[in-house]
Amino acid sequence: HQLALLAFLASLACASASVPAVVVSSRGSVDSLASLSSARLNSQQLAEALHRSAGGLLLVVTVDEGLSLPDFARSGGDVYSAGQGSASPFASVAGLSEKLGGRHLLVAEADKLLPALRSLDWRGGAPIDVANDGKEVDRVVEAATAAGGASRLVLARAADAGAADRLLGAACAALQSRGLPFVAVFTATHESDPAPAAADAAASAEAAVSAGRHLLAAPTASPSSNGTFVNCSSDVLLYFASLQVQLTQNSKVKTLPPVLPVADGSSIIDTKLSTCNAAGGNRTLALSFPDSALQSPLAALKLTLNFVGDTKSSTSPWSIASGTASLSCKSGSSANCTNVAETALTQESLASFITPNGSCYHCTNNTRLSTSGGTGSNGSAALTLIFGKFQLQPFGIPADGKFSKNVNDCVGFFSVEVWFSLLVLLVITVILMYGVLMLVSVATPDRFDDPKGKTIQVNVQDGGN
């Protein structure tokens, strides 16, 4: 049964790039809900089906870092099996699915699920966004009690699958103990980073052979549902897989909901401020993220980068000379969000972008762009944008309009892997040299017994005499 289920889920994963959703209900198996009988629904269909079947509290817990079917496989089980037991990041969801009856779905256009749910009529009260302050379970119970059995939407979010699983498990246990009806959904608004596909592996191998940085060359980034690709006049290229927003005020850090990927990355370019095709050595890329990419409490997010380079030289480097960032929050969200006026980016966060002309800057690790401030008791808030899998090239774009295969990687040549390899090689070399020295030191006797003569006698003197 388990093997058949895993094969079925794997076939669904190959057939559609959709986000998984696990639905459990306090009223028994949700398999009885005819509206959820389809294996794959779009966001609007799922929202309407959940609204009809709620009959009480609808708790939706989303994973900030995204969610994909391979995530369940990597945990050693599936949505109905905890896999590695308590060590699995889906232990609570698996337990609830087995105890209450669970339904596993694939959601297309998952980024539209939360807006679709908000737009529906909830008779138990307005939808509630639960803040990540350690009191999430109490607020969920309060919302369910106030609804009095009527349908009400509560939205919660967690940084990763493990945190979301624990939150959903604790909230469902609290609701069950009080006899409050609920439907709980474990999902995300976008896919998590998938394992490299065969095509990406082939591109990596090709880049490793032909690129200037042989060991660190990265596959060419392209528009993807798992990231945002910005092409400004085919003169400035920018790609990032994820974007996290952090605010620092009074030396305290607040992490806001991530910015969702934008399918048409060119749509976020502010054409009034951008000068991507300037003939000289100065270019500007200004980005303004749309409402569809921003989650509450974010209302507006803007970023401007000013590049300096030499379009006539193939050897001189380019860099980010300066930049600005700004953030606006929705009204009534001052407790969780602070407006940040247009503020210059710190030179410390821009120093690492110096790259030879004709090469792109690439960073698999997180790339941070920060504004000043954030310290002191009365200091202004500092804004930090954390890009995942960041790639940038404002000069020397190849004729095919894609990123250059010559890569300046943020990790540097002597990465952790290289250092460990050198250390292991050193240890092996020392062992080998010791063995060689031992073999060289072996000596044969200079005298041998003669069968016709006297036996060789060696006088041994006691060292104590």
Side-chain angles (χ1 to χ4, degrees), residues 250-321:
N250 301 333
S251 300
K252 296 181 179 180
V253 179
K254 293 181 180 179
T255 301
L256 301 180
V259 177
L260 302 178
V262 180
D264 182 11
S266 299
S267 64
I268 68 177
I269 299 174
D270 189 335
T271 55
K272 295 181 179 179
L273 300 177
S274 298
T275 56
C276 298
N277 56 357
N282 298 323
R283 294 179 176 178
T284 298
L285 176 63
L287 305 178
S288 179
F289 291 87
D291 295 339
S292 58
L294 303 177
Q295 304 185 71
S296 180
L298 298 178
L301 178 63
K302 296 182 179 182
L303 173 66
T304 302
L305 299 175
N306 300 313
F307 307 103
V308 175
D310 189 348
T311 57
K312 299 180 180 180
S313 173
S314 60
T315 57
S316 61
W318 60 263
S319 62
I320 304 178

Side-chain angles (χ1 to χ4, degrees), residues 93-425:
V93 171
L96 289 169
S97 297
E98 183 177 356
K99 182 179 180 180
L100 301 178
R103 182 72 179 174
H104 182 274
L105 309 169
L106 289 177
V107 188
E109 300 178 331
D111 59 316
K112 300 179 181 178
L113 176 60
L114 299 187
L117 287 171
R118 293 179 188 275
S119 65
L120 299 175
D121 179 27
W122 300 94
R123 298 184 178 181
I128 298 176
D129 289 278
V130 177
N132 294 334
D133 56 1
K135 300 180 180 179
E136 297 92 332
V137 176
D138 294 337
R139 290 192 170 86
V140 170
V141 173
E142 291 174 2
T145 304
S151 61
R152 190 171 194 182
L153 173 65
V154 175
L155 303 173
R157 38 175 289 269
D160 53 41
D165 179 77
R166 292 189 294 272
L167 172 58
L168 186 140
C172 291
L175 293 172
Q176 278 187 288
S177 64
R178 293 166 175 79
L180 298 172
F182 68 88
V183 173
V185 182
F186 179 91
T187 186
T189 56
H190 63 283
E191 287 186 289
S192 60
D193 293 334
D200 290 339
S204 299
E206 178 185 357
V209 172
S210 61
R213 296 291 298 279
H214 298 298
L215 296 178
L216 301 176
T220 302
S222 59
S224 169
S225 60
N226 292 306
T228 301
F229 178 79
V230 179
N231 185 340
C232 185
S233 305
S234 296
D235 292 295
V236 177
L237 302 181
L238 170 66
Y239 171 81
F240 52 90
S242 61
L243 175 54
Q244 185 72 55
V245 181
Q246 284 186 348
L247 287 174
T248 304
Q249 190 170 26
N250 301 333
S251 300
K252 296 181 179 180
V253 179
K254 293 181 180 179
T255 301
L256 301 180
V259 177
L260 302 178
V262 180
D264 182 11
S266 299
S267 64
I268 68 177
I269 299 174
D270 189 335
T271 55
K272 295 181 179 179
L273 300 177
S274 298
T275 56
C276 298
N277 56 357
N282 298 323
R283 294 179 176 178
T284 298
L285 176 63
L287 305 178
S288 179
F289 291 87
D291 295 339
S292 58
L294 303 177
Q295 304 185 71
S296 180
L298 298 178
L301 178 63
K302 296 182 179 182
L303 173 66
T304 302
L305 299 175
N306 300 313
F307 307 103
V308 175
D310 189 348
T311 57
K312 299 180 180 180
S313 173
S314 60
T315 57
S316 61
W318 60 263
S319 62
I320 304 178
S322 61
T324 61
S326 63
L327 171 70
S328 298
C329 307
K330 293 183 178 180
S331 58
S333 59
S334 58
N336 301 320
C337 185
T338 303
N339 293 330
V340 178
E342 187 173 7
T343 308
L345 300 175
T346 62
Q347 288 300 315
E348 289 80 1
S349 63
L350 302 177
S352 62
F353 288 93
I354 300 177
T355 301
N357 196 11
S359 300
C360 70
Y361 176 86
H362 172 268
C363 193
T364 303
N365 300 330
N366 288 336
T367 299
R368 294 173 176 264
L369 295 176
S370 303
T371 64
S372 57
T375 58
S377 58
N378 297 316
S380 59
L383 173 62
T384 300
L385 303 179
I386 305 174
F387 296 89
K389 297 185 178 180
F390 183 87
Q391 198 159 352
L392 173 66
Q393 187 171 0
F395 294 97
I397 305 298
D400 59 4
K402 298 181 180 179
F403 284 108
S404 172
K405 292 181 180 179
N406 296 319
V407 177
N408 175 27
D409 200 287
C410 66
V411 176
F413 185 82
F414 287 98
S415 62
V416 175
E417 292 79 7
V418 173
W419 280 115
F420 269 105
S421 299
L422 293 176
L423 179 61
V424 172
L425 181 61

